Amino acid sequence: MTNNYAQALGIHNKWAPILFAVLYFFLMIWYIIQIFRRHRSVYSGLAFFSAVRVVAYSLRAAMANNSKDAVNKNMAIAYEVLYSVGFFSILLSAYNLMHSRDRLAKFQQTGKKASNMFHRSRIMHLLLFIAVVLGTVGIVYALGNFGHNGLGNGLNSASTYIFLVVMVIIAVLTVLLIMLERSLRTNNSPAIGANHHHLILIIIGVLLLLRTLFYAATVHNRLNGSTPAQGAQGNEKLWYPLVALTELLVALLFLTPGLVPLRSLLHGRGNGEHIDDVDNTGAYPEKNGKAHHYGAQQTGVPAADHTGPMAGNAYNNRDSMQTAV
């Protein structure tokens, strides 16, 4: 007897995965452009997430529209693995975003390289890697036995709970970051933590936590030996709004202007300056009689010189950071 993996996974809608694949394709193109223009570590993760989602939803659409693909075990395994890997990528992007904003806030305020609350990033990376590996092995075992393999279901559940732990940590760090940016905000540095950015960060955290909680709350179906189609994970009326839509909204929220710090603010200017050299005023030390203030580059508002005979001049963009106007 041939197993229908599309039915086992609760895949029925033929048009929704096509729509999501198209939307993620355009997002992928946009994020690839941003990798070279703005911030590599955040946007590269988002570009990878979008690319994986394009492939995953294409596989889902094929399984829903073609009876031969619906019974293809390898295609079902590839879809499930890619979907798990994609979630790893967007969680890592969210973490890298907060890490970058934390560094920028500390440097702009103190000019010192801080050992901030994100300095244990290797632990986060390790947890996410373990979650992906356990989930991948669990999927192979579970679908290889049509969803009734105890070891596969157990590994899948362990992966889900690790993702939940990581997401809770990210949520806590989001609150701490917002509190930090607000405490550092002064009349002289209004660019630190705009209010609408804080709202966006909160929404991103809530959406990702909602998605993770949905999987954690329904993973008991696998532990009991049932297929996703027999539980909430296989109910497309729940899965699309609580999983597919929440992820898409998070990817769109990353498009918010100014949310992701400019790469030049974190890694230096064209003449070898580095953010580690920022002084306590938020300006780069004098070089050739000129001081450079990077708050202007982040906000688009000219910032005045703080020292030297050129005091009062403004620097409006990245190129003019090298020469006074």
Side-chain angles (χ1 to χ4, degrees):
M1 178 180 177
T2 303
N3 296 325
N4 191 316
Y5 293 95
Q7 290 184 0
L9 296 174
I11 299 175
H12 304 289
N13 194 304
K14 299 179 179 181
W15 299 108
I18 296 176
L19 174 61
F20 276 90
V22 171
L23 292 175
Y24 275 114
F25 175 79
F26 288 112
L27 280 175
M28 178 188 67
I29 299 299
W30 175 259
Y31 285 134
I32 289 175
I33 295 173
Q34 299 308 307
I35 291 174
F36 301 99
R37 295 180 59 183
R38 294 181 63 85
H39 194 301
R40 184 167 301 165
S41 67
V42 175
Y43 287 114
S44 59
L46 292 169
F48 178 76
F49 166 75
S50 300
V52 170
R53 282 294 177 265
V54 170
V55 178
Y57 279 114
S58 298
L59 293 175
R60 187 180 179 97
M63 294 176 65
N65 285 277
N66 191 312
S67 57
K68 292 184 179 180
D69 292 332
V71 298
N72 188 324
K73 180 174 68 175
N74 293 330
M75 183 174 290
I77 292 175
Y79 163 74
E80 286 278 279
V81 170
L82 286 173
Y83 213 90
S84 177
V85 171
F87 188 59
F88 154 85
S89 182
I90 198 169
L91 281 183
L92 189 59
S93 295
Y95 179 79
N96 286 337
L97 168 62
M98 292 187 296
H99 184 27
S100 298
R101 290 180 67 93
D102 180 73
R103 287 182 57 204
L104 180 60
K106 292 288 183 62
F107 277 122
Q108 187 167 345
Q109 180 66 16
T110 67
K112 298 178 181 178
K113 186 175 181 180
S115 57
N116 52 47
M117 56 189 173
F118 297 92
H119 72 289
R120 301 293 185 184
S121 58
R122 291 184 179 180
I123 297 177
M124 294 290 289
H125 295 170
L126 179 61
L127 286 174
L128 287 170
F129 177 75
I130 293 174
V132 169
V133 171
L134 291 178
T136 300
V137 175
I139 289 167
V140 172
Y141 273 103
L143 288 180
N145 292 273
F146 202 58
H148 292 287
N149 184 284
L151 176 60
N153 293 332
L155 292 175
N156 229 332
S157 301
S159 172
T160 300
Y161 290 131
I162 293 176
F163 274 130
L164 177 60
V165 170
V166 171
M167 190 55 238
V168 170
I169 294 174
I170 291 177
V172 172
L173 292 178
T174 300
V175 175
L176 294 177
L177 173 64
I178 293 174
M179 293 173 60
L180 170 67
E181 289 185 341
R182 288 185 174 180
S183 67
L184 294 180
R185 187 186 303 169
T186 66
N187 293 332
N188 295 326
S189 56
I192 299 179
N195 286 329
H196 69 283
H197 288 167
H198 292 164
L199 178 60
I200 296 299
L201 290 174
I202 292 173
I203 295 175
I204 288 175
V206 169
L207 289 175
L208 289 176
L209 185 60
L210 178 63
R211 187 267 192 208
T212 313
L213 285 173
F214 172 75
Y215 268 95
T218 57
V219 74
H220 65 277
N221 292 329
R222 290 183 180 271
L223 288 175
N224 293 333
S226 59
T227 63
Q230 296 171 324
Q233 291 185 21
N235 186 343
E236 290 187 325
K237 293 181 179 179
L238 294 175
W239 187 87
Y240 273 105
L242 294 178
V243 178
L245 184 59
T246 55
E247 292 178 346
L248 179 61
L249 290 176
V250 169
L252 291 173
L253 287 172
F254 273 96
L255 300 176
T256 304
L259 182 68
V260 181
L262 294 173
R263 178 174 56 188
S264 56
L265 298 186
L266 299 172
H267 298 291
R269 302 298 195 271
N271 61 350
E273 296 148 326
H274 195 272
I275 193 168
D276 291 353
D277 296 328
V278 179
D279 63 22
N280 290 328
T281 67
Y284 278 85
E286 274 197 39
K287 293 195 176 183
N288 299 325
K290 302 169 187 177
H292 309 280
H293 194 283
Y294 68 84
Q297 185 176 357
Q298 176 73 2
T299 62
V301 179
D305 276 345
H306 292 268
T307 59
M310 301 300 292
N313 287 339
Y315 298 85
N316 294 318
N317 51 49
R318 181 175 182 177
D319 295 329
S320 63
M321 295 292 289
Q322 312 300 327
T323 307
V325 176

